[in-house]
Amino acid sequence: MLGMLLLVIFCQTLCAEPLGMEAADVVVTTGIRDRMPVDAVESYAATVKNLFCFSRITGARVDETVWHVWYHEGREVAKIGLPVRSSNWRTWSKKTFFKASQGVWRVDVMDGRGQILGSQKFHLL
């Protein structure tokens, strides 16, 4: 009986799916320099013109797409598809803001199946 149990555990280990794609880093920032965020924004003045969502994606097996989905006060306002070309890939999207942009914002990083890989919330004051 113990031998059968060990065989089942061994098979499950060999047959297990790899962890898959993840967002190792998700940062909202005022800029990108040398393919890295220059800062991390949790709250910012509503006079800001642009912010970026930077994400580092790990575990991709083939060319895939991630989506940066921007939400204002819980309502989706932008969805940007970004290619992922290796198992450790940095990418970012840019959002332009207007005077009526004050409030709570969130950016979700999603895979092609709609699974959330990471998320970052921030406020425009």
Side-chain angles (χ1 to χ4, degrees):
M1 189 62 151
L2 180 61
M4 181 63 90
L5 178 61
L6 290 174
L7 181 61
V8 169
I9 292 171
F10 180 72
C11 279
Q12 287 176 338
T13 303
L14 286 180
C15 301
E17 285 288 314
L19 290 176
M21 194 164 52
E22 294 181 346
D25 298 307
V26 179
V27 178
V28 174
T29 180
T30 58
I32 304 288
R33 186 177 306 126
D34 297 325
R35 298 184 304 155
M36 293 296 292
V38 298
D39 55 14
V41 172
E42 290 183 16
S43 62
Y44 211 81
T47 56
V48 67
K49 296 213 185 256
N50 301 301
L51 289 175
F52 300 82
C53 177
F54 168 90
S55 58
R56 185 170 63 88
I57 307 300
T58 60
R61 290 188 238 164
V62 295
D63 286 353
E64 297 192 48
T65 299
V66 294
W67 297 87
H68 284 181
V69 186
W70 294 76
Y71 297 90
H72 179 236
E73 300 293 337
R75 185 177 62 86
E76 182 181 317
V77 295
K79 186 174 184 178
I80 303 159
L82 302 161
V84 177
R85 305 237 193 273
S86 76
S87 63
N88 189 6
W89 189 260
R90 295 174 286 184
T91 192
W92 56 90
S93 62
K94 175 181 159 183
K95 175 76 181 91
T96 301
F97 296 92
F98 304 98
K99 288 184 182 182
S101 299
Q102 291 177 322
V104 178
W105 284 83
R106 183 180 87 240
V107 185
D108 288 344
V109 179
M110 302 175 83
D111 67 13
R113 296 183 309 265
Q115 298 244 304
I116 296 175
L117 305 174
S119 188
Q120 184 63 51
K121 190 163 98 171
F122 63 99
H123 296 82
L124 286 186
L125 308 172

